[in-house]
Amino acid sequence: QVQLVESGGGLVQAGGSLRLSCAASGRFFSINTMAWYRRAPGKQRELVAAITSGDSTNYLDSVKGRFTISRDNANNTVYLQMNGLKPEDTAVYYCHAVALVQPTLAGYWGQGTRVTVSS
């Protein structure tokens, strides 16, 4: 199985920055796409950013130009650099990874890390 451990959340003022990290561990053959989702209070979970094993990325429109997703394949870690944070970015952020756990691909979730942006 795969365990995802997130870190880096916290309280920040509007305009500030945070960097989220998510490290994957466990028994798997490889990690494919890694992504960050978020769930704001009273809203559905949404995809914030994703990155493939080949470093192709995609972003939620509202975070384009402010957030950057990256990964360290050697350490099975994905990052989300968040700049220019806005109060509407307040949410619990979840890491997601698609891993090849022989013989199948499966998706795994982290426990979530809270990001609060004050105005």
Side-chain angles (χ1 to χ4, degrees), residues 12-20 38 48 59 62-69 79-89 93 115 117:
V12 64
Q13 288 188 331
S17 298
L18 285 174
R19 188 191 195 208
L20 306 183
R38 70 185 181 189
V48 176
Y59 295 92
S62 62
V63 308
K64 286 180 180 177
R66 299 188 297 122
F67 291 9
T68 302
I69 190 170
Y79 304 97
L80 186 67
Q81 178 66 45
M82 305 185 293
N83 299 328
L85 282 160
K86 303 176 180 180
E88 51 264 43
D89 295 318
Y93 285 70
V115 172
V117 184

Side-chain angles (χ1 to χ4, degrees), residues 51-103:
I51 184 167
T52 68
S53 56
D55 286 340
S56 294
T57 59
N58 67 282
Y59 295 92
L60 182 68
D61 282 347
S62 62
V63 308
K64 286 180 180 177
R66 299 188 297 122
F67 291 9
T68 302
I69 190 170
S70 60
R71 64 190 287 170
D72 177 353
N73 289 325
N75 292 299
N76 297 309
T77 301
V78 64
Y79 304 97
L80 186 67
Q81 178 66 45
M82 305 185 293
N83 299 328
L85 282 160
K86 303 176 180 180
E88 51 264 43
D89 295 318
T90 294
V92 178
Y93 285 70
Y94 297 90
C95 177
H96 183 268
V98 177
L100 179 59
V101 180
Q102 293 286 12

Side-chain angles (χ1 to χ4, degrees), residues 1-5 22-28 31 76 108-110:
Q1 298 301 311
V2 179
Q3 293 80 45
L4 300 176
V5 178
C22 171
S25 62
R27 302 174 68 87
F28 53 87
I31 299 285
N76 297 309
Y108 298 88
W109 292 96

